[in-house]
Amino acid sequence: MTNFIQFCANGPKDGQVCQIVIEDLDETTLVKEGEKKKKKKERPPSPPPSPPPKPHPLVEAPHSDKELQAIKIQAWWRGTLVRRTLLHAALRACIIQYWWKQKLAELLEKKRRAVLDQYAQQNRAVVRLQSWVRMWRIRLRYCRLLHAARIIQIYWRWHNCHTRGFFRGSYELTASQLGLKLEMSLGSQVCQITDCIPFPIKN
């Protein structure tokens, strides 16, 4: 007599199926088979048999009360063993599934962190390159504008010097005289005047 018991433990993502095969032999059937073998051994050799008659169906004798009680106890004990085996299998399957789910969660977290770190590094590198390119372009433009402004200033100063005149001078005052030094510029002509005036000043 063979019993097939199938146990299924499903998790949120994956399930594992355990198949437990339990073979039980009824003790009464074993005893009957042993008695039949003994009877066959004890019989003396018979003369060659005549053609065997048609086999009659075996009719089992009714069981006594003690045998029925023994069968019930055996069935209860076998059920207890099967339930205990199934409980142990279910607990082990739950432990394995819990451990495997933890490992999967850790692997996914490591992969997510690695992807985020790689993305952050690429983003920082791109931002740095962009800032360097923008700085180089702005500096190049500033240098061009500064050079152009200097050229314009040089030409404007040269134009002012050649089209406008200016007057500047200095003096030196002592106890007996006044020293003057004057410089006048009109376009391209420059005139310098130096003079010493003694005291007292006359008209």
Side-chain angles (χ1 to χ4, degrees):
M1 179 174 161
T2 306
N3 294 330
F4 290 90
I5 298 167
Q6 188 172 0
F7 171 73
C8 180
N10 293 324
K13 292 184 180 178
D14 53 351
Q16 295 181 353
V17 178
C18 298
Q19 187 173 1
I20 303 169
V21 180
I22 301 172
E23 294 184 359
D24 292 331
L25 297 176
D26 196 352
E27 293 180 3
T28 56
T29 56
L30 292 174
V31 171
K32 288 180 180 179
E33 289 178 0
E35 290 178 356
K36 287 179 182 179
K37 289 180 181 179
K38 286 181 182 179
K39 287 179 181 178
K40 287 180 181 179
K41 290 180 180 178
E42 290 176 358
R43 290 179 184 175
S46 58
S50 58
K54 293 181 180 179
H56 296 286
L58 297 175
V59 179
E60 295 183 359
H63 299 289
S64 63
D65 293 338
K66 291 184 178 180
E67 289 178 353
L68 291 174
Q69 291 176 0
I71 290 171
K72 287 182 181 179
I73 292 171
Q74 289 174 0
W76 171 80
W77 181 246
R78 285 195 298 270
T80 302
L81 291 177
V82 170
R83 284 190 291 273
R84 189 181 298 171
T85 305
L86 289 175
L87 180 61
H88 284 290
L91 291 175
R92 290 167 185 166
C94 290
I95 290 170
I96 292 171
Q97 287 178 356
Y98 180 73
W99 173 81
W100 180 245
K101 288 171 188 174
Q102 281 186 341
K103 288 295 179 183
L104 284 178
E106 290 177 1
L107 289 174
L108 290 174
E109 184 67 19
K110 286 182 181 179
K111 289 181 180 178
R112 189 179 67 84
R113 288 183 179 177
V115 171
L116 287 176
D117 291 340
Q118 185 178 3
Y119 173 75
Q121 289 179 359
Q122 291 179 355
N123 195 12
R124 285 195 295 268
V126 169
V127 170
R128 185 173 295 178
L129 288 175
Q130 289 177 351
S131 65
W132 284 351
V133 170
R134 284 195 294 267
M135 180 184 68
W136 175 75
R137 291 180 63 184
I138 291 172
R139 183 177 178 83
L140 184 62
R141 186 178 177 184
Y142 172 76
C143 290
R144 289 177 180 174
L145 292 175
L146 184 62
H147 183 66
R150 286 176 178 173
I151 292 174
I152 293 171
Q153 287 175 356
I154 289 170
Y155 278 99
W156 181 253
R157 288 169 185 168
W158 181 83
H159 178 72
N160 283 338
C161 289
H162 286 77
T163 55
R164 294 183 180 180
F166 62 91
F167 176 83
R168 62 183 178 182
S170 60
Y171 66 92
E172 183 180 357
L173 183 62
T174 59
S176 61
Q177 63 181 5
L178 174 65
L180 293 175
K181 184 177 181 181
L182 301 175
E183 182 177 354
M184 292 180 291
S185 174
L186 296 173
S188 60
Q189 297 179 359
V190 178
C191 180
Q192 292 183 356
I193 300 174
T194 56
D195 192 6
C196 293
I197 301 173
F199 290 121
I201 300 174
K202 298 181 179 179
N203 294 330

